[in-house]
Amino acid sequence: MLTLYGTSFTSRLLLGTAQYPSPESLKLAVEASGAEIVTVSLRRESARARTGQGFWGLIEELGCRVLPNTAGCRTAKEAIATANMARELFGTNWIKLEVIANDDTLQPDLFGLVEAAAALSAEGFQVLPYTTEDLSAAERLVAAGCGVLMPWAAPIGSARGLINREALKTLRAYFPDIPLVIDAGIGTPSHAAEAMEMGYDAVLLNTAIAKAGDPVKMAAAFAKVVEAGRLAFEAGLIEPRDMASPSTPVAGTPFFKIDHAS
Amino acid sequence: MKILLNGEAFATDAKTLDELCAGLGFAEAKIATAVNGSFVAASSRGATSLADADEIEIVAPRQGG
């Protein structure tokens, strides 16, 4: 079971709700993924279009736990105000905290992130920070009150997979008791499997499913590998080795002779 | 009075944030608000007076990653 801030979930796949070809496709993809947590955002509401009102109806139909984000915020102040608006709107203390440093990489501004995480934790939020694999930032976030960390695998939407796997392994080893969710940069099911095999507690993705040729089928594929990767981690992976090691018993091999030449 | 509503110039006679929201047809809508960069709870909109050049944000749920 995945436990985040005291709530347990069967699925270890968290799914974003953006970029699907249609609302119907989003709904079917969420079902196929088995996700119990979906991310949402807040955007300016036009009095004429009232886009958000219809979207809210769709989200309620999904029946998932909602994790609002602060996507696009550039400062701690913006993120704090957005988190408060999200808490009122969605009725949850959970916030996927994003403070963005750079438009090209969409990498977290770790300084603003720690500042906002501390302020929001003090206001009773349960913060799920979108961070990097940086260990010192992770320590500051935990000290600020974060009970979950969500390091990126690669820049958002880049589909490059775990580009800094050694640091991600270190992070996992350093925080054995903090739920760690890989957030952003997952492009293929094998990327997700790798994260799960490394012992990450869950993966959060959006683009890899929403922009797939068939989002519903891809959601089903991710559901399978996330579960498989977790099972593999729990089973205990063997260590890689440089040289071959026969799997078939050597004893009793027909025609076997000791090679005296060597 | 001229305010900045969701980043655009907007003329209004509304005296409070609550009146502004109602005038836009948001009385019963699923929205959240901020004034000059700070969150204003739904319960505080009636007591939040508007002034010239105030920057108002009115947001609603949307797709997100």
Side-chain angles (χ1 to χ4, degrees), chain A:
Chain A
M1 292 285 267
L2 169 70
T3 302
L4 303 175
Y5 284 110
T7 306
S8 295
F9 302 91
T10 306
S11 167
R12 292 174 179 273
L13 175 57
L14 287 70
L15 194 55
T17 56
Q19 301 181 296
Y20 293 82
S22 68
E24 185 64 13
S25 154
L26 161 62
K27 207 176 148 191
L28 293 173
V30 171
E31 281 170 15
S33 74
E36 295 163 282
I37 302 169
V38 295
T39 55
V40 293
S41 75
L42 295 179
R43 286 296 178 259
R44 286 170 165 168
E45 184 77 332
S46 141
R48 213 167 299 156
R50 299 173 68 90
T51 313
Q53 309 307 309
F55 177 67
W56 178 243
L58 175 64
I59 287 299
E60 281 189 309
E61 274 178 45
L62 296 177
C64 291
R65 172 138 193 164
V66 168
L67 172 57
N69 69 27
T70 63
C73 288
R74 303 299 300 260
T75 64
K77 185 172 191 261
E78 285 176 13
I80 290 164
T82 303
N84 273 283
M85 291 194 284
R87 177 158 69 176
E88 183 179 85
L89 210 43
F90 295 108
T92 175
N93 284 331
W94 279 23
I95 192 75
K96 177 185 162 182
L97 184 61
E98 299 184 36
V99 183
I100 298 300
N102 179 289
D103 284 338
D104 291 326
T105 60
L106 295 178
Q107 78 177 76
D109 170 359
L110 298 176
F111 304 93
L113 186 66
V114 171
E115 182 189 340
L120 290 169
S121 297
E123 288 179 35
F125 282 88
Q126 294 180 316
V127 179
L128 295 91
Y130 161 62
T131 184
T132 69
E133 63 287 316
D134 187 274
L135 205 54
S136 58
E139 283 188 307
R140 299 287 180 106
L141 288 167
V142 171
C146 296
V148 177
L149 296 174
M150 302 210 296
W152 65 354
I156 296 172
S158 70
R160 289 165 62 193
L162 280 54
I163 59 175
N164 202 348
R165 41 176 70 74
E166 294 309 317
L168 288 170
K169 277 185 198 167
T170 304
L171 194 68
R172 178 68 284 180
Y174 202 78
F175 294 102
D177 301 323
I178 302 266
L180 298 180
V181 181
I182 290 285
D183 176 13
I186 298 282
T188 69
S190 59
H191 295 156
E194 189 181 5
M196 297 308 295
E197 286 172 7
M198 280 168 61
Y200 274 79
D201 292 280
V203 295
L204 195 170
L205 54 110
N206 190 156
T207 312
I209 287 177
K211 301 296 262 187
D214 182 339
V216 181
K217 200 172 266 188
M218 191 60 87
F222 270 101
K224 285 179 194 285
V225 292
V226 167
E227 199 181 338
R230 179 64 190 186
L231 277 174
F233 170 71
E234 289 176 0
L237 297 159
I238 62 164
E239 287 298 316
R241 48 187 293 155
D242 289 338
M243 302 304 284
S245 170
S247 46
T248 304
V250 174
T253 305
F255 317 117
F256 179 78
K257 289 190 191 87
I258 292 170
D259 184 0
H260 290 290
S262 58

Side-chain angles (χ1 to χ4, degrees), chain A residues 88, chain B residues 17-18 31-33 39-48:
Chain A
E88 183 179 85
Chain B
L17 184 57
D18 211 27
I31 55 157
T33 51
F39 167 64
V40 177
S43 56
S44 302
R45 284 178 204 148
T48 303

